[in-house]
Amino acid sequence: MKSENLYEFTYGTVEVKAKLPQGHGLWPACGEIDIMEYVGKTPHEIHTTLHTPASFGQSVNTNVETIGDIEEGFHVYKTNWSKDAIKFYIDDQLVYTFSPEEKDKKNYPFNKPFFIILNMAIGGYFGGPDVDDSIFPQEFIIDYVKVYQ
């Protein structure tokens, strides 16, 4: 799902309730202010990442949270995005805050409209490269997406 040219916004809270797929080679993600990235080859880990020109390719603005039951049932992934900071939550627990001292175009390019992407990638650099075909079929189930401004 992609809201580009349909719904774009600057600042607010985005909340996604989802149930993750499981298996080596899967890679569901939610955007480039990455509210949540789960990589099947590293079970129980949720990545929250911000991609900026200052850290292109290295994703140094990241947090990895280990949650033993993250693959079980639905969980809520949320970000609160303001002109000063971006905060990430999993099931209402704050897991990462990004607020660089210098907020220029290279360190904090998050002052313009963004759109939402919800996807499940298979393979690729982050998720693979090898994919365990025995895991299919799999589902990345989205219960809801909410945006508050």
Side-chain angles (χ1 to χ4, degrees):
M1 187 217 57
K2 190 168 153 180
S3 73
E4 186 176 24
N5 299 320
L6 299 170
Y7 181 74
E8 299 173 11
F9 60 98
T10 306
Y11 309 133
T13 299
V14 177
E15 185 176 292
V16 177
K17 184 176 180 185
K19 182 176 181 190
L20 299 174
Q22 297 180 51
H24 191 95
L26 299 178
W27 178 19
C30 299
E32 281 305 298
I33 294 176
D34 290 324
I35 297 172
M36 178 276 292
E37 288 183 299
Y38 172 83
V39 183
K41 67 183 179 184
T42 55
H44 316 303
E45 293 183 359
I46 298 294
H47 300 247
T48 53
T49 306
L50 292 126
H51 299 277
T52 68
S55 65
F56 234 30
Q58 290 299 319
S59 301
V60 296
N61 308 310
T62 191
N63 178 63
V64 178
E65 202 68 27
T66 301
I67 302 170
D69 67 348
I70 201 68
E71 293 88 359
E72 298 172 23
F74 285 87
H75 295 274
V76 177
Y77 307 94
K78 180 170 68 173
T79 187
N80 187 303
W81 167 32
S82 73
K83 66 179 183 68
D84 298 315
I86 301 174
K87 296 181 179 188
F88 296 88
Y89 301 81
I90 300 173
D91 293 330
D92 289 324
Q93 295 292 320
L94 179 65
V95 296
Y96 181 53
T97 299
F98 177 69
S99 183
E101 283 188 33
E102 189 173 347
K103 293 186 176 56
D104 60 16
K105 290 180 185 179
K106 289 189 174 204
N107 293 312
Y108 201 82
F110 306 111
N111 60 354
K112 59 186 176 206
F114 274 62
F115 58 90
I116 296 172
I117 299 173
L118 295 172
N119 72 294
M120 179 174 69
I122 299 172
Y125 175 75
F126 196 39
D130 53 331
V131 176
D132 177 5
D133 289 332
S134 70
I135 65 171
F136 296 107
Q138 285 290 320
E139 294 180 301
F140 180 30
I141 303 170
I142 309 299
D143 184 24
Y144 64 76
V145 177
K146 298 178 181 180
V147 178
Y148 306 90
Q149 289 187 277

